[in-house]
Amino acid sequence: MDAALELMDEGALTMRALASRVGLTPGALYTYFPDRAALVSAVADRLLAEADLTLLDAPGLSPHDRIESFALALREVLLRHPAAVPAILGAAFSGPTALHVGESLLRELSDPRASYTVMVYVLGAIALEAAELEGPPPPEEERIALRRTYLVVDPEAFPLTHAANDVIAAYISTDQFRWGLRRLLSAP
Amino acid sequence: MDAALELMDEGALTMRALASRVGLTPGALYTYFPDRAALVSAVADRLLAEADLTLLDAPGLSPHDRIESFALALREVLLRHPAAVPAILGAAFSGPTALHVGESLLRELSDPRASYTVMVYVLGAIALEAAELEGPPPPEEERIALRRTYLVVDPEAFPLTHAANDVIAAYISTDQFRWGLRRLLSAP
DNA sequence: ACCTGAACACCGTTCAAGT
DNA sequence: ACCTGAACACCGTTCAAGT
């Protein structure tokens, strides 16, 4: 599964490539996983578990702070493996680790609807950020600077977008991620 | 592109299948699209445009109501084509239609960071819902009922999840979608 | 410009046969 | 149980050649 994650990061996860990397014949993989989709799900769940789940139960922190620190940790893990993020979205509920995260989240927020809203925001933000990464990401500042030149638009046709260029470039920043999360958590 | 969307809905969009559906040889498609990814992006942008963009400029409505009505319309369009949703996430910023939506959203909310938060929520919610659909969705009530039996967990290991089963089953409801959106928009 | 036919370099998955 | 070798039924993309 480590090899599978590596290949995913390289954007080249095929059963054949995986087999050759672990020194097997393609067919031999089907002893361990019924099919490619099962392999991908397993990798997704393992990746989800790489974020420090204990942050969600950290003593001495407010519920909001626990959620924030876990969300930041999860984002960091997942953005290092952007190609795996779509699989995470797919397994958002089903996997065993996802269940554990869900239970902890329910403990922090009294209304289950609020906890789902947080999940939606966190996974949505990560998914949008991951979508524009090919491999492991360059430093944040670099990505923002790139977006600043990248996202130039016609000022006549899109005046507000043009005026907000700097903020839009920073949509993928940790600050923006935290800002949105806090806004959501601070809702009445 | 209509044929391509049809094939996507059937979960079987290949260049060869598309070619045969439009009465061409696979190679001929490369006159119109440089590669498969370009085709998928084009379909995604066209799908985005199917939601009524004028809702975002509807006179006589508050900014929040405009956003809500457009978000609901977008969700309805996209959930009819769940297989295309990942492509929408990928093209969330780049496409011409996405630019237009972004500009309108900036008009409704004074802080660009808030408008991005709304985008994250709306696209995130749609992505999570789409992830558990194979083809065009059954009626909402049916899906919720299915989830209610689907999502049974061990009450000992996951007591809160077990207790909230009914609400969790309704995570994919229009009501939950609207509830989360309103909560986000009502943040101070 | 648009299309065909044919090829190239791949895929995931299955399965008899071996150990 | 685990693995190989070989096959089956596919892929996306390219490209000479035709109209």
Side-chain angles (χ1 to χ4, degrees):
Chain A
M1 284 178 47
D2 287 341
L5 182 57
E6 269 180 42
L7 283 165
M8 250 173 134
D9 288 342
E10 298 164 23
L13 173 58
T14 67
M15 299 304 270
R16 294 173 119 98
L18 177 58
S20 109
R21 187 154 305 188
V22 297
L24 288 176
T25 292
L29 296 177
Y30 292 83
T31 307
Y32 304 96
F33 300 96
D35 53 27
R36 189 184 185 278
L39 167 65
V40 169
S41 294
V43 172
D45 195 78
R46 156 180 278 231
L47 197 54
L48 198 58
E50 259 186 44
D52 185 0
L53 299 182
T54 67
L55 290 170
L56 274 173
D57 307 288
L61 282 184
S62 73
H64 285 190
D65 286 343
R66 280 181 233 181
I67 290 172
E68 185 175 313
S69 62
F70 174 72
L72 285 167
L74 180 64
R75 173 171 172 270
E76 215 168 293
V77 169
L78 295 190
L79 287 187
R80 272 201 293 270
H81 308 280
V85 168
I88 301 269
L89 284 212
F93 313 96
S94 35
T97 312
L99 257 180
H100 184 243
V101 171
E103 178 78 10
S104 296
L105 213 49
L106 289 174
R107 211 178 298 124
E108 307 306 329
L109 298 170
S110 55
D111 189 336
R113 293 176 298 179
S115 93
Y116 183 65
T117 308
V118 167
M119 283 177 51
V120 163
Y121 173 78
V122 169
L123 292 175
I126 293 170
L128 287 182
E129 291 185 50
E132 66 179 47
L133 293 169
E134 317 264 307
E140 183 168 304
E141 265 190 66
E142 215 170 293
R143 278 195 294 147
I144 296 174
L146 197 73
R147 282 171 55 93
R148 228 185 317 257
T149 64
Y150 207 86
L151 300 171
V152 250
V153 298
D154 178 15
E156 308 279 321
F158 305 102
L160 297 175
T161 305
H162 179 258
N165 184 270
D166 280 5
V167 186
I168 293 174
Y171 275 175
I172 52 102
S173 68
T174 306
D175 276 348
Q176 165 74 37
F177 179 78
R178 199 190 284 109
W179 186 91
L181 181 56
R182 285 189 179 160
R183 168 168 256 255
L184 188 57
L185 288 171
S186 72
Chain B
M1 284 178 46
D2 287 341
L5 182 57
E6 268 179 41
L7 283 166
M8 251 173 134
D9 288 342
E10 298 163 23
L13 174 57
T14 67
M15 299 304 270
R16 294 173 119 97
L18 177 58
S20 108
R21 186 152 307 189
V22 297
L24 287 176
T25 292
L29 296 177
Y30 293 82
T31 308
Y32 304 96
F33 301 96
D35 53 28
R36 188 184 186 279
L39 167 65
V40 169
S41 294
V43 172
D45 195 78
R46 156 180 278 232
L47 196 54
L48 198 58
E50 259 187 44
D52 185 359
L53 299 182
T54 66
L55 289 171
L56 275 173
D57 308 287
L61 282 185
S62 73
H64 285 190
D65 285 345
R66 279 181 236 184
I67 290 173
E68 185 175 314
S69 62
F70 174 72
L72 286 167
L74 181 64
R75 173 171 173 271
E76 215 169 292
V77 168
L78 296 190
L79 287 187
R80 272 201 292 268
H81 307 281
V85 167
I88 300 269
L89 284 212
F93 312 97
S94 36
T97 312
L99 256 180
H100 184 244
V101 172
E103 178 78 9
S104 296
L105 214 48
L106 289 173
R107 210 179 298 122
E108 306 306 329
L109 298 171
S110 54
D111 189 335
R113 293 175 300 177
S115 94
Y116 183 66
T117 307
V118 167
M119 282 178 50
V120 163
Y121 173 78
V122 169
L123 292 176
I126 293 170
L128 287 183
E129 291 185 50
E132 65 178 49
L133 292 170
E134 316 264 306
E140 183 169 305
E141 264 190 67
E142 216 170 293
R143 279 195 293 148
I144 296 175
L146 198 72
R147 283 171 55 92
R148 230 187 314 257
T149 64
Y150 207 87
L151 300 171
V152 249
V153 297
D154 177 14
E156 307 280 320
F158 305 103
L160 297 175
T161 305
H162 179 258
N165 183 269
D166 280 6
V167 185
I168 294 174
Y171 275 175
I172 52 100
S173 68
T174 307
D175 276 348
Q176 165 74 37
F177 179 78
R178 199 189 284 108
W179 186 90
L181 181 56
R182 286 191 178 157
R183 169 166 254 255
L184 188 58
L185 288 171
S186 72

